């Protein structure tokens, strides 16, 4: 049976874990997913990125009364016709930002395939108590004069697959990019709370029993 110090330590570990947020930013080549990520982290826009390596960025932020340790995974760009599994990303990430370029219909098709993969019926090795948070982003709104994907198409894809949706421009809209990331992080925090509520009743009963036992012991001292 756990003693009081072990229980406190385990509870602290659970709370620390709830403050770690892991976010994967996915999309086809040239969609601007790296530009969005760097815009959020530094407020700077850089148009050209080497796409042959992956990066994990870290950022500390204070949100909803909590100090959060945010990690953002930006994989190397995949050709939009390539096969992909997302197995490691599905295990690692708490949420996903899926990016397409509104002036490139093939990037929208690739984003759709990514969402379908994330929303596939969960296999036994990747079960989640709560469905992953997903935000679909139509980037490069500054190129609306050569638009190939309508706003309504993005909105419908998101609604049909239980995702959030927005259009913006990494090049011109620093504040909107920041709000987009805050939005998905808040969704992830909501999921953390739902997971905590859905813990097996046995573990909750055990925690209550431990509290009662050690509470009585403290009173008797």
């Amino acid at each position: 049976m756990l003693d009081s110090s072990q229980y406190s330590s385990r509870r602290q570990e659970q709370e620390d874990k709830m403050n770690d947020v892991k976010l994967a930013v996915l999309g086809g080549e040239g969609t601007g997913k790296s530009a969005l990520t760097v815009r959020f982290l530094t407020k700077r826009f850089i148009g050209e990125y080497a796409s042959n390596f992956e990066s994990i960025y870290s950022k500390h932020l204070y949100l909803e009364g909590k100090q959060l340790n945010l990690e953002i995974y930006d994989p190397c760009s995949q050709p939009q016709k390539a096969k992909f599994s997302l197995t490691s990303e599905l295990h690692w990430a708490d949420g996903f930002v899926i990016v397409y370029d509104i002036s490139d219909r093939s990037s929208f098709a690739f984003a759709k395939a990514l969402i379908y993969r994330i929303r596939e019926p969960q296999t036994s090795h990747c079960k989640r108590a709560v469905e992953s948070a997903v935000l679909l982003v139509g980037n490069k709104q500054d190129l609306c004069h050569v638009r190939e994907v309508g706003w309504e198409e993005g909105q419908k894809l998101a609604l049909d697959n239980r995702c959030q949706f927005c259009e913006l421009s990494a090049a011109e809209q620093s504040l909107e990019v920041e709000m987009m990331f805050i939005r998905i992080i808040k969704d992830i925090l909501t999921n953390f709370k739902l997971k905590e509520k859905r813990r097996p009743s046995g573990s909750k009963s055990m925690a209550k029993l431990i509290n009662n036992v050690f509470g009585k012991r403290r009173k008797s001292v």
Side-chain angles (χ1 to χ4, degrees), residues 173-187:
Q173 296 176 313
S174 178
L175 179 60
E176 285 79 357
V177 171
E178 180 179 0
M179 296 309 298
M180 178 270 290
F181 274 96
I182 295 299
R183 184 176 172 188
I184 185 68
I185 293 166
K186 284 184 175 180
D187 284 350

Side-chain angles (χ1 to χ4, degrees), residues 96-112:
F96 299 87
V97 174
I98 308 298
V99 185
Y100 67 92
D101 172 356
I102 68 164
S103 67
D104 178 5
R105 177 156 291 278
S106 64
S107 74
F108 182 68
F110 189 67
K112 184 184 294 188

Side-chain angles (χ1 to χ4, degrees), residues 68-93:
L68 303 178
N69 307 310
L70 174 65
E71 289 188 331
I72 301 178
Y73 173 59
D74 179 13
C76 54
S77 294
Q78 289 179 290
Q80 290 170 178
K81 294 181 180 178
K83 291 183 178 179
F84 54 90
S85 68
L86 294 188
T87 301
S88 59
E89 289 87 346
L90 287 169
H91 278 283
W92 180 83

